[in-house]
Amino acid sequence: MELPTPESIKKKRVKLGLTQSELAARAHVSQPLIARIESGDVDPRLSTVKSIITALDDMEKSRITAKDLMTAPVISLSPDESVDQAVKIMEKYGFSQVPVLENGVPIGSISESALVQAMGSRDIQRISNARVRELMEDSFPAVAPGTDMGTISALLEANHAVLVMEMGKVVGVITKYNIMRLLNK
């Protein structure tokens, strides 16, 4: 077993976004001890190093991000496609909602709920021939690939899906199903 250096402990702590106090609490040691270990001022007991490394490893495993959860590539619709085409795509992929993109930019979404609601007040043939833009809802919220699962879960409580965007482009989508799949791992 190779023992970590003070520099490698600090580097990993900083990479995980932990303060010395947060690491100390997770490793059940004091913050001043973490500071002294990281500065190389003290030679800790092996059991202390083990506690610190275990805390860092546990934190690293629990840090699930949008990039880990997302489904890619994103199946999307154009606002000018027919609702009939939207239904075919939803059926083919088993989706209950689909983002609507125009020139790669999210402008809305269409869901089974919107379609069912429209069917209650319009002629089915007219709905089938309508354009997606006529029945689309608001766009899904968007996050960066490094966004944590807590933020994504909160967004999914009020939205059908969350888009993952990088450099102005949609690179993935996350639904409640993506979160629930974590329970099987």
Side-chain angles (χ1 to χ4, degrees), residues 9-10 13 29-30 51 58 74 81 91 93 105 141 143 150 158 168-169 171 174-175 179 183:
I9 290 172
K10 181 177 182 177
R13 175 184 61 78
V29 298
S30 69
S51 291
D58 288 349
V74 177
E81 288 185 78
E91 286 178 342
Y93 293 101
V105 177
V143 299
K169 293 184 77 174
V171 294
I174 302 169
T175 64
I179 302 284
L183 296 172

Side-chain angles (χ1 to χ4, degrees), residues 27-160:
H28 307 291
V29 298
S30 69
Q31 180 275 324
L33 179 58
I34 297 289
R36 291 184 69 202
I37 291 170
E38 287 183 356
S39 70
D41 187 36
V42 68
D43 192 12
R45 295 184 316 186
L46 183 57
S47 61
T48 302
V49 172
K50 185 176 186 243
S51 291
I52 293 168
I53 296 305
T54 299
L56 288 169
D57 288 346
D58 288 349
M59 183 64 184
E60 191 170 48
K61 288 176 190 168
S62 70
R63 191 170 185 317
I64 298 172
T65 64
K67 189 170 185 164
D68 302 322
L69 294 167
M70 72 183 194
T71 299
V74 177
I75 306 298
S76 64
L77 293 164
S78 154
D80 296 321
E81 288 185 78
S82 70
V83 169
D84 185 53
Q85 181 63 26
V87 170
K88 286 177 183 170
I89 287 175
M90 290 172 151
E91 286 178 342
K92 178 179 179 180
Y93 293 101
F95 295 161
S96 56
Q97 63 277 325
V98 179
V100 179
L101 306 181
E102 190 166 52
N103 299 318
V105 177
I107 63 163
S109 64
I110 191 154
S111 68
E112 289 175 343
S113 318
L115 296 175
V116 169
Q117 186 176 11
M119 290 172 67
S121 61
R122 298 187 194 176
D123 176 296
I124 292 177
Q125 187 62 39
R126 213 172 106 216
I127 293 170
S128 186
N129 293 328
R131 299 291 125 203
V132 166
R133 75 172 62 250
E134 296 172 45
L135 297 178
M136 73 181 184
E137 302 166 300
D138 291 340
S139 182
F140 303 131
V143 299
T147 304
D148 66 276
M149 189 171 74
T151 302
I152 295 163
S153 293
L155 288 169
L156 285 172
E157 288 179 23
N159 298 280
H160 294 293

Side-chain angles (χ1 to χ4, degrees), residues 19-31 34 55:
T19 64
Q20 288 179 343
S21 296
E22 290 168 332
L23 176 56
R26 291 174 183 274
H28 307 291
V29 298
S30 69
Q31 180 275 324
I34 297 289

